[in-house]
Amino acid sequence: MSTIAAFRAEFGAMVRRPMFRRGLLDAAPMSLGIVAWGVVAGVAMAKSDMGVPLAVLMSLLVYAGSAQIAALPLIAADAPIWVVWATTLCVCLRFMAFSFHYRPYFEHLPRGRRILLSYLMGDTSFALFIHRFPKPAHGQDHVDYFLGGSFITYGTWQVAIVTGIFAGHAIPPSWGLGFAGTMALLALTCTQLRSPSASVAALVAACAAVAAYALPLRLNIVVAIAAAIAFGVLARHARSLRGEGEA
């Protein structure tokens, strides 16, 4: 009981912190898109006949809708486990890029805590965090803001995907929930395009993803990320050379 009481006291203190509440408020408008995408993922898991207990366990352990949906047809087809792992790894490689971007904000934390925080990384929370903190700000509690946003996104996602798992076949594909979730994430992404180079990098990534769509294991996502990073590096190098030339 003392452990539970201590946890409740610590959580209550965290909720009262200004940056935690700011993270909650910033993430709240994105809940509708997360709900749509989560329900779609849950329905897909239910229709894969993997069973409710295993589907719920997978949702709690994986916490990555795109990886879950990519793995489902492989599991249903009795594909070798290494193929399932390789597919989910390729789909989730974008989180490595997220980690590099988060590092300046969280590098002062112990490694164990950083590992725990990495479990809460997501596309929506990352976009919100970078929009709020384009660069590490002295005196700002980045951890509280990250946890506040993650509290909403993680909680909403789990409720939505479990709802989809239990609703199963009762939700028809004609509802188009997957499209609604994708559009919500796309709208959030567009808010990050605050410079011409960022806009061109996004266009390059989109073109690369479409061009490489036929690749197996969802490798087109990896190709898109690599293309955007390559363009960013080249653009930065070109700006530095232009600056040296003007000097």
Side-chain angles (χ1 to χ4, degrees), residues 41-61:
V43 171
M45 295 174 73
K47 292 184 178 181
S48 68
D49 297 326
M50 66 188 307
V52 171
L54 184 58
V56 173
L57 178 63
M58 183 181 183
S59 174
L60 293 173
L61 293 179

Side-chain angles (χ1 to χ4, degrees), residues 41-202:
V43 171
M45 295 174 73
K47 292 184 178 181
S48 68
D49 297 326
M50 66 188 307
V52 171
L54 184 58
V56 173
L57 178 63
M58 183 181 183
S59 174
L60 293 173
L61 293 179
V62 178
Y63 185 43
S66 55
Q68 290 170 243
I69 292 179
L72 288 178
L74 298 176
I75 295 174
D78 291 327
I81 189 63
W82 71 266
V83 175
V84 179
W85 279 98
T87 301
T88 55
L89 176 63
C90 290
V91 174
C92 292
L93 278 178
R94 67 189 186 279
F95 293 117
M96 184 177 296
F98 292 175
S99 297
F100 280 117
H101 205 107
Y102 275 128
R103 180 175 180 138
Y105 301 87
F106 300 142
E107 61 184 354
H108 64 283
L109 299 175
R111 179 176 298 176
R113 191 175 184 189
R114 279 182 282 148
I115 292 174
L116 291 175
L117 289 175
S118 68
Y119 170 73
L120 296 173
M121 282 194 304
D123 301 284
T124 304
S125 57
F126 176 76
L128 289 170
F129 186 92
I130 298 305
H131 180 71
R132 182 72 181 183
F133 302 110
K135 295 181 179 180
H138 181 71
Q140 295 286 351
D141 200 331
H142 305 113
V143 177
D144 281 354
Y145 184 86
F146 176 84
L147 289 175
S150 299
F151 181 79
I152 290 289
T153 55
Y154 179 82
T156 303
W157 172 261
Q158 294 299 342
V159 170
I161 196 170
V162 171
T163 300
I165 290 171
F166 280 97
H169 299 276
I171 300 178
S174 59
W175 284 15
L177 293 176
F179 181 73
T182 302
M183 291 302 295
L185 187 58
L186 181 62
L188 180 62
T189 302
C190 290
T191 64
Q192 309 305 308
L193 307 180
R194 297 189 290 268
S195 67
S197 59
S199 299
V200 176

